[in-house]
Amino acid sequence: MILRWTPESVGDAIVDIVLSLNDQSKKLYGTEVATASYSSTKSSLRSFDQIGLKIDEVEREIADLQGHPGKYLRSMLNANRYFARSLQGDDLPYAEYIANIQELPSTLITDATIEKQKQLVDEGLTNLGYKGSLKEKADKWHEETLIPPEKVTTVANSMKEKSKAGTLKRVITLPKEDGIDTIKSIRGVFWSGYSKYEGQYRGNLTFNIDRPWTKPVLAQIMTHEGYPGHQAFYCRWDYLFQQGKLPIEASYYLINSPTNALFEGGPESALHFLGWDRDEEETEGITLDEKKQYKLARDYIDMQRMAMTNACYLFNNGDMNKEEAVNYMINSGNLTTIEANNCYRFFSDPVQKTYYPSYYYGRWMVGKAYDAVAKGQRADFFTTLYDTPHTTNTFIDAVSQLTGTPFQPFEQVNVSKKNLVL
């Protein structure tokens, strides 16, 4: 039985819009944006004009839809319209695209926020016995924990079963058919890791070995791509849809929509959900020393992501060119040249440029939400995150209701571009 929030023709039209946007993205840029679709609905809209008319038609149908379904679907359709404009190259301000497509801020992360993060990294490195400047400590730590490229998939495989066991124990359940079939390596791409959902509860992972990998950082990305990250999300949604518990109107994943901050923010916090970075948690054979390393790796990735997100904003806002953006990431985030150039390729891509902010802001939003929820409410939190279709704004509302306190994850003081050290 298919769960529906709207009449059959409307629900099917919503999926048609998503899959037709995917067709246009592949046609124009060779990029798949509907990375999962669990229903049997197929695309039928062959032009942006047809997509636009269908969006108008569905918007009229759901104008009076009440409650959470109405809020969710109106936000998604608005994002579909803006995403279609972006794919066609409409020259709108970057912040307008991000606000309407992802319901996220588009501004600079403050110097104070970045400095606080650097202090966390510095303290973590000092506690592990490293000496010197932050860069000297970080470079030495990186050198001592580096994995040879040919061993990256072996190390990733060694983490798979532990992370799945922790997911099933303390995060969500998955159908017995769930599994990751292969973990392989690749070169020549701009992303670090990729989770490809193949259907039937199965998936494959790929890691880019052009970039350097350390074991503590790989643990973060492995749990991001696998369990309880993307593979867990994809599989859980598929299972819920087949059980008639996920509506057809939300039976897909679309890059560039208001769901992106949850889909990336959850995996960005995945290792934290497992308790692999917390001393008080009983975990799957993770030693105390490993927990210290994993905590440091999360803080280090957050520091890098701040520099990368600022560079994304400054480039797409027209305030930096490629060379300036790459140098900023290297100097502010201690990225390697390879990492900085790959990140530039990511956020300058015509499709991915409006997706990239979901990583940092999603991590900020979901991570803060998890920490704000009492331990006894974690099951409710995971139901909200994994089992309930949410946009950025409806998720914020849900967390506010869960905690009984207004949840404001994006509150920060804006920084003037003229005061930013580039």
Side-chain angles (χ1 to χ4, degrees):
M1 177 181 174
I2 295 177
L3 176 63
R4 293 184 180 274
W5 280 346
T6 63
E8 182 174 348
S9 62
V10 177
D12 289 351
I14 288 170
V15 179
D16 190 358
I17 289 167
V18 168
L19 298 182
S20 297
L21 284 169
N22 184 60
D23 290 344
Q24 292 297 323
S25 179
K26 289 195 293 186
K27 176 182 174 182
L28 290 171
Y29 304 108
T31 301
E32 180 182 56
V33 292
T35 57
S37 182
Y38 306 121
S39 74
S40 60
T41 303
K42 305 298 182 183
S43 62
S44 70
L45 309 171
R46 302 305 175 212
S47 69
F48 283 110
D49 284 344
Q50 290 182 11
I51 291 171
L53 289 172
K54 186 61 69 172
I55 291 173
D56 290 342
E57 178 185 318
V58 174
E59 281 184 331
R60 288 192 295 270
E61 292 285 345
I62 67 166
D64 298 322
L65 185 62
Q66 298 299 304
H68 177 76
K71 291 179 181 178
Y72 177 89
L73 293 178
R74 283 187 286 273
S75 289
M76 293 295 282
L77 283 169
N78 177 64
N80 293 162
R81 191 184 300 281
Y82 270 87
F83 182 32
R85 295 188 67 178
S86 178
L87 287 173
Q88 294 173 89
D90 284 9
D91 187 18
L92 298 178
Y94 186 65
E96 183 177 349
Y97 274 128
I98 300 305
N100 283 278
I101 291 175
Q102 297 210 54
E103 297 182 344
L104 292 175
S106 184
T107 186
L108 287 171
I109 302 162
T110 66
D111 289 340
T113 299
I114 294 172
E115 185 57 35
K116 183 178 179 181
Q117 193 62 37
K118 287 184 176 181
Q119 290 174 5
L120 284 176
V121 174
D122 193 62
E123 289 170 8
L125 288 164
T126 299
N127 290 339
L128 289 177
Y130 294 99
K131 301 183 185 299
S133 66
L134 172 58
K135 179 171 175 52
E136 289 169 339
K137 294 175 186 176
D139 289 350
K140 187 64 175 176
W141 172 63
H142 187 274
E143 176 187 326
E144 292 182 356
T145 56
L146 194 64
I147 304 170
E150 67 275 11
K151 293 186 178 180
V152 168
T153 56
T154 301
V155 176
N157 257 305
S158 73
M159 301 172 180
K160 182 175 68 173
E161 294 307 320
K162 286 183 179 181
S163 60
K164 182 172 180 177
T167 298
L168 297 176
K169 180 179 180 180
R170 60 177 62 86
V171 184
I172 56 169
T173 59
L174 297 169
K176 66 181 187 305
E177 298 90 345
D178 163 81
I180 293 170
D181 292 324
T182 63
I183 300 178
K184 56 188 178 180
S185 61
I186 196 172
R187 292 185 182 273
V189 296
F190 55 71
W191 40 263
S192 293
Y194 185 69
S195 178
K196 174 63 175 174
Y197 188 66
E198 303 292 353
Q200 303 299 314
Y201 310 132
R202 312 298 292 185
N204 296 303
L205 307 186
T206 307
F207 292 93
N208 178 8
I209 58 172
D210 280 340
R211 59 150 291 171
W213 287 101
T214 68
K215 185 177 179 181
V217 168
L218 182 61
Q220 295 285 344
I221 309 305
M222 181 61 192
T223 54
H224 176 118
E225 302 297 346
Y227 305 106
H230 289 323
Q231 169 61 20
F233 272 94
Y234 280 133
C235 181
R236 178 74 175 175
W237 291 343
D238 196 351
Y239 174 77
L240 291 172
F241 179 74
Q242 304 307 329
Q243 296 295 309
K245 297 178 180 179
L246 182 75
I248 192 170
E249 294 86 352
S251 63
Y252 55 84
Y253 181 68
L254 177 68
I255 287 173
N256 287 313
S257 76
T259 65
N260 297 161
L262 286 89
F263 185 68
E264 295 299 345
E268 284 287 278
S269 304
L271 187 141
H272 190 53
F273 294 165
L274 295 176
W276 286 12
D277 58 352
R278 300 199 301 282
D279 296 349
E280 74 276 11
E281 293 287 331
E282 292 183 13
T283 44
E284 296 67 41
I286 307 300
T287 67
L288 182 60
D289 181 63
E290 285 176 319
K291 289 186 176 188
K292 290 178 180 178
Q293 291 278 354
Y294 294 162
K295 171 65 167 61
L296 172 59
R298 182 67 260 171
D299 290 337
Y300 188 77
I301 292 170
D302 286 344
M303 178 188 76
Q304 290 190 313
R305 189 75 75 186
M306 290 175 183
M308 296 153 85
T309 304
N310 270 356
C312 172
Y313 169 77
L314 289 163
F315 175 80
N316 284 295
N317 206 46
D319 299 309
M320 275 186 175
N321 60 28
K322 174 184 177 180
E323 182 180 4
E324 291 168 333
V326 168
N327 287 336
Y328 173 73
M329 288 184 279
I330 292 171
N331 294 327
S332 180
N334 202 41
L335 277 76
T336 64
T337 301
I338 291 173
E339 290 172 313
N341 276 283
N342 279 349
C343 184
Y344 169 80
R345 288 171 62 193
F346 201 147
F347 65 60
S348 64
D349 181 88
V351 175
Q352 303 290 352
K353 67 181 182 181
T354 42
Y355 187 73
Y356 191 78
S358 66
Y359 290 93
Y360 176 70
Y361 286 107
R363 154 74 177 146
W364 190 339
M365 179 179 73
V366 176
K368 281 190 172 185
Y370 178 80
D371 289 339
V373 169
K375 191 171 184 178
Q377 293 179 299
R378 284 180 183 167
D380 294 331
F381 171 80
F382 289 134
T383 296
T384 299
L385 179 63
Y386 285 87
D387 295 358
T388 311
H390 275 295
T391 68
T392 296
N393 287 339
T394 64
F395 178 76
I396 290 171
D397 290 343
V399 174
S400 298
Q401 293 178 7
L402 193 59
T403 62
T405 304
F407 180 56
Q408 299 173 308
F410 305 131
E411 270 195 333
Q412 64 171 325
V413 179
N414 290 344
V415 59
S416 170
K417 289 191 285 291
K418 68 181 181 181
N419 293 327
L420 187 69
V421 178
L422 305 181

